[in-house]
Amino acid sequence: MTQSVQHPTQKPTLDWVAVFFFGAVHLLALGLAPFFFSWSAIAVCLFLHWLFGSIGICLGYHRLLSHRSLKVPKWLEYTLAFIGALALQGGPIFWVAGHRLHHAHTEDEVKDPYSAKRGFWWSHMLWIFYPDKQFFDADQYSRYAQDLAKQPFYRWLNRNFLLLQIPLAIALYLLGGWSWVVYGMLVRAVLLWHSTWFINSVTHVWGYRSHPSDDNSRNLWWAAILTYGEGWHNNHHAYPNVAKAGWRWWEVDVTWWAIWLLQRLGLATKVILPPAVVTE
């Protein structure tokens, strides 16, 4: 599935553009949120956190595009990828390529883009601030997601995901004013970033293991709640192509509920289910 990742020729340097961008969004969210609070804005923030996080990232980018755990019509696949791009976590080719490398070389300090063995904060967010060219240069990472890179729509979405935030902000302003913009854009982005990053960091440190996978992946209940099921990470690393992350009845997997609904509607087929073991 993947080609050999080359050892970096030099130590990655701090990307001040990334530091400024992420720092500015965090500061604006913290500084403006108290002054633009409204219950409708909170509702919009939570709704978009679910829509972009569970439907866009967890279902679209992760279980569908990265692992092909299910099959949906092309129009729906593109719609889910578009929603994922609105999450402001990179384009689909970038995201999928990095995630596939994470699974192919889990916790390898060179080949895994966000290896937990390099420390909690590295796997959580510092890997973005010290970008390795092999994981951030499109000409290099695209080879790990060639199935997407050969499609014009995904190439366009990969280039323009950041610009999509402009019409989103305009729509939120027209519908609810500045409070919806602050909570729907800034607060939502910060919360969703850290929710997603928790899977790279905390679920490789804390939690229980149901399967003897060749890494330190863990199942962590509170991370699963924040990420709509992705926190059952040991289950996922043991069987990455399975569409259902929560296997036991009490391992709540909200994203799976959406997949189940799509299956019942006839829109999801070839859904890969867990083996009969360890599902009680």
Side-chain angles (χ1 to χ4, degrees), residues 227-262:
T227 57
Y228 308 100
E230 300 297 281
W232 310 118
H233 206 50
N234 178 243
N235 294 347
H236 175 61
H237 267 266
Y239 296 87
N241 293 331
V242 168
K244 189 176 184 180
W247 288 22
R248 295 180 171 92
W249 68 266
W250 45 266
E251 292 177 339
V252 177
D253 183 358
V254 174
T255 301
W256 166 252
W257 299 348
I259 295 173
W260 178 88
L261 179 60
L262 290 176

Side-chain angles (χ1 to χ4, degrees), residues 56-108:
I57 296 296
C58 301
L59 200 170
Y61 272 20
H62 187 206
R63 305 189 197 188
L64 176 61
L65 297 183
S66 295
H67 296 292
R68 296 298 180 182
S69 300
L70 64 152
K71 183 177 177 60
V72 299
K74 184 61 72 173
W75 67 265
L76 181 55
E77 177 182 314
Y78 283 173
T79 299
L80 294 171
F82 186 88
I83 295 171
L86 292 173
L88 200 56
Q89 295 189 10
I93 301 174
F94 164 79
W95 202 102
V96 169
H99 190 73
R100 287 176 178 175
L101 283 170
H102 169 66
H103 275 275
H105 309 286
T106 305
E107 297 175 356
D108 184 285

